[in-house]
Amino acid sequence: MGTVVDAAIKVANGSAHTNKKVTVVFVLGGPGSGKGTQCSNIVEHFGYTHLSAGDLLRAEIKSGSENGTMIQNMIKEGKIVPSEVTIKLLQRAIQENGNDKFLIDGFPRNEENRAAFESVTGIEPEFVLFFDCPEEEMEKRLLSRNQGREDDNIETIRKRFKVYMESSLPVIDYYKAKGKVRKIDAARPIEEVFKAVKAVFTPESEKVAA
């Protein structure tokens, strides 16, 4: 779909490069906006590989590494993990995967993330899929999902909303100015949201006039 971006992906040791042509779509939206659910649908229908920045960070925490302990402490505080940590995890995931189409979910979280990602990887997103959802609805969803996640309590949720509002919206504004934002009303039922998502991912040539 659209143009394919040339990406110079640095390998973990930083000494060699692998030239890999990839299409990247950034998936942004507040905590509880339904990004994960919709990413699963996109993977199933359009063949993308879903990379969740949050899942990669949680996997690093579970690994018990020193990096993981630092990440855990920052998440508890509702702070943003340093760009280089997340970018390294994303690079490794892209590099080790055989696919060439990726959804990057929950990243970039701020302008510094965005600039560092484009600078380090050479990748500019095809577009940004933005799930727009009112804070009250997101809070309700997070409190009811009860997945046993340590960061799903009311105090931390409100910290995460504050961080999201202050940090992520400038990223959305940046890509909006470049005509790369596809905004989805995420407060609607899952099926209706995916209908709107499908319209974004279906190439014009494949859309049949009603």
Side-chain angles (χ1 to χ4, degrees):
M1 46 161 285
T3 57
V4 176
V5 186
D6 279 309
I9 307 294
K10 287 184 182 178
V11 295
N13 64 15
S15 61
H17 292 75
T18 303
N19 289 322
K20 184 175 179 182
K21 292 180 177 181
V22 296
T23 296
V24 164
V25 173
F26 286 150
V27 183
L28 298 179
S33 60
K35 299 188 305 292
T37 300
Q38 295 303 329
C39 283
S40 298
N41 287 336
I42 296 164
V43 167
E44 188 182 335
H45 285 79
F46 296 100
Y48 277 71
T49 293
H50 175 207
L51 300 179
S52 161
D55 287 351
L56 290 171
L57 291 167
R58 280 187 282 276
E60 191 71 12
I61 290 168
K62 281 184 182 171
S63 76
S65 69
E66 191 180 331
N67 220 15
T69 304
M70 179 270 293
I71 292 166
Q72 185 173 34
N73 290 335
M74 294 199 78
I75 289 175
K76 273 187 191 172
E77 288 298 309
K79 291 178 183 171
I80 288 177
V81 175
S83 296
E84 61 270 20
V85 174
T86 310
I87 290 169
K88 186 175 177 182
L89 295 174
L90 287 166
Q91 278 185 318
R92 190 169 70 197
I94 288 172
Q95 203 178 298
E96 291 173 356
N97 192 288
N99 202 353
D100 62 356
K101 298 192 297 185
F102 296 91
L103 299 172
I104 296 184
D105 169 13
F107 187 92
R109 296 281 299 275
N110 57 27
E111 266 293 289
E112 193 263 333
N113 274 181
R114 179 201 63 73
F117 182 85
E118 290 190 10
S119 168
V120 171
T121 67
I123 298 172
E124 202 174 307
E126 188 76 11
F127 59 86
V128 175
L129 192 63
F130 171 41
F131 289 100
D132 190 25
C133 193
E135 192 170 314
E136 301 74 33
E137 176 65 21
M138 292 191 286
E139 189 175 298
K140 189 173 76 177
R141 290 176 183 179
L142 288 173
L143 290 172
S144 67
R145 73 184 183 184
N146 193 23
Q147 292 177 342
R149 274 178 50 180
E150 200 175 330
D151 54 344
D152 281 353
N153 62 71
I154 192 68
E155 189 183 332
T156 309
I157 283 168
R158 287 185 175 151
K159 275 187 195 168
R160 288 165 72 201
F161 284 147
K162 187 171 185 289
V163 168
Y164 164 69
M165 291 300 292
E166 290 173 355
S167 305
S168 298
L169 291 180
V171 177
I172 292 159
D173 289 341
Y174 172 87
Y175 285 118
K176 195 180 286 179
K178 300 185 86 168
K180 289 196 166 200
V181 173
R182 310 290 181 267
K183 186 164 131 179
I184 304 288
D185 176 2
R188 294 176 296 171
I190 290 171
E191 297 76 15
E192 287 182 34
V193 173
F194 187 53
K195 191 175 178 184
V197 169
K198 274 201 290 195
V200 169
F201 278 86
T202 304
E204 286 299 326
S205 58
E206 293 178 21
K207 289 180 183 173
V208 180

